[in-house]
Amino acid sequence: MRFVIYGAGAVGGVIGARLAAGGADVVLIARGAHLEALRRDGLRVESAAGSARFALPAVGAPQEIDWRPGDVVILTVKSTETAAALAALAACAPPDVPVVCAQNGVSNERAALRMLPDIYALCVMLPAEHLSPGVVVQGSSPVPGILDLGRYPRAVDATAEAVAGALRAGGFDSVARPDAMRFKYRKLLLNLGNALEALCGRLDDGATEALDVLRAEGTAALDAAGVDYASAAEDRARRGDTLRVDVPRGGGSTWQSLRRGTGRVEADHLNGEIVLLGRLHGVPTPANDLVRRLVNAAARAGRPPGELTPSAFLRLLRR
């Protein structure tokens, strides 16, 4: 089994490095200055244990890969890039290549299933950061993350078990489970604060009210849509004390996108998912719509994190 990491940023870089450390064959797909650094110097992973360098093959597109039986794609691009990534895979990869969606949000698996038949949902609990070309930061040790997965929409098969085994060999806590999407929906509720964190630069105790409003709308929308999602208690039980963050991040994935000036964030697939469900089922979601619009505007304009405060966001919402 060879793993093709499609999107070797924060999450993809740590997953690829740990899989390789566990003995797996790994190929990275990246772009731009990051790809140049990977080809020139290898992938550098910073953690509490120090710095480690991984000399892994890196390409700029799936068309550059000599595909072979047993390949598995770990899709780790942002949700905004999923459509382009799937189109590229469908054009050159084997039609039965398994694709594991290790992404935030809940729309990627459905989109992938339109293009390819063997799709897996993976719930990412992995504190990581990528701000400099060729470098990713693993934020938790000794266990880098919790990566449970299952065949989409709800099953466990031999491929899911094999991928979970390879992830465990790389040091992750990973199990194959049929209800992986239930935990991805719970993660969606947690990720509704990503856009607010990016706008504010950092969330402190004063953000509690704003976060509560975002997540209350999210819960109401999921309930109205009849979505089955893991409870907060289930999520706490699964996490336990496994993740021990010993290298603090500047911020989450949306914060990192603003910080790097990528011009795009994935709020439409996080807060926007709640807005969509609210509109379909008659649930008002003004807070999620506002934070989605504000962070998209900031990304388009190239503004850095920290231009707003939680109290200012609430004032705008009340207007």
Side-chain angles (χ1 to χ4, degrees):
M1 179 175 283
R2 180 176 65 168
F3 291 94
V4 177
I5 309 297
Y6 202 149
V11 169
V14 173
I15 291 177
R18 300 314 311 164
L19 282 170
D25 194 1
V26 175
V27 178
L28 306 177
I29 301 180
R31 60 187 180 185
H34 188 44
L35 174 61
E36 293 175 8
L38 294 176
R39 285 173 164 169
R40 183 182 63 249
D41 303 318
L43 174 65
R44 192 169 90 233
V45 180
E46 303 285 355
S47 70
S51 179
R53 194 173 297 277
F54 295 82
L56 302 174
V59 300
Q63 290 86 346
E64 300 175 41
I65 294 175
D66 180 19
W67 293 93
R68 61 198 194 200
D71 285 344
V72 173
V73 175
I74 309 290
L75 190 62
T76 48
V77 298
K78 293 288 194 298
S79 297
T80 51
E81 312 300 327
T82 293
L86 291 172
L89 284 172
C92 65
D96 59 348
V97 65
V99 177
V100 180
C101 296
Q103 303 160 282
N104 286 334
V106 293
S107 62
N108 298 292
E109 290 81 5
R110 185 178 175 88
L113 200 58
R114 290 191 178 101
M115 308 286 285
L116 296 160
D118 297 318
I119 306 303
Y120 297 79
L122 186 151
C123 184
V124 178
M125 304 180 194
L126 197 172
E129 187 173 79
H130 166 54
L131 296 177
S132 302
V135 181
V136 297
V137 178
Q138 175 187 311
S140 174
S141 299
V143 179
I146 302 172
L147 303 178
D148 293 348
L149 75 151
R151 186 181 177 96
Y152 183 77
R154 189 180 176 89
V156 168
D157 61 10
T159 297
E161 295 284 8
V163 173
L167 290 169
R168 288 193 298 271
F172 293 103
D173 185 344
S174 179
V175 298
R177 58 189 313 150
D179 61 346
M181 285 304 299
R182 293 184 68 247
F183 283 84
K184 292 200 77 164
Y185 272 102
R186 168 53 59 180
K187 180 78 184 304
L188 172 65
L189 291 174
L190 298 177
N191 288 148
L192 296 180
N194 287 16
L196 185 66
E197 178 193 47
L199 289 168
C200 298
R202 184 177 297 276
L203 295 181
D204 53 25
D205 293 340
T208 301
E209 182 181 355
L211 291 172
D212 286 347
V213 171
L214 291 168
R215 289 168 182 159
E217 287 182 2
T219 300
L222 293 182
D223 289 344
V227 173
D228 181 18
Y229 56 94
S231 68
E234 287 178 285
D235 183 65
R236 285 193 299 271
R238 179 63 187 98
R239 291 173 184 263
D241 61 354
T242 300
L243 298 182
R244 301 180 181 182
V245 178
D246 45 16
V247 182
R249 297 182 298 175
S253 59
T254 305
W255 181 93
Q256 292 174 47
S257 293
L258 275 194
R259 177 68 174 76
R260 294 201 312 273
T262 62
R264 301 180 74 181
V265 291
E266 57 183 347
D268 288 344
H269 295 268
L270 303 176
N271 307 89
E273 182 73 22
I274 297 306
V275 173
L276 171 62
L277 292 177
R279 289 170 177 168
L280 287 173
H281 299 281
V283 175
T285 57
N288 280 279
D289 193 33
L290 176 61
V291 79
R292 178 192 66 80
R293 289 187 285 110
L294 290 173
V295 77
N296 279 330
R300 287 192 299 268
R303 296 195 295 270
E307 66 172 12
L308 201 66
T309 64
S311 58
F313 170 74
L314 289 172
R315 286 195 298 271
L316 289 171
L317 179 62
R318 292 184 185 114
R319 292 177 190 170

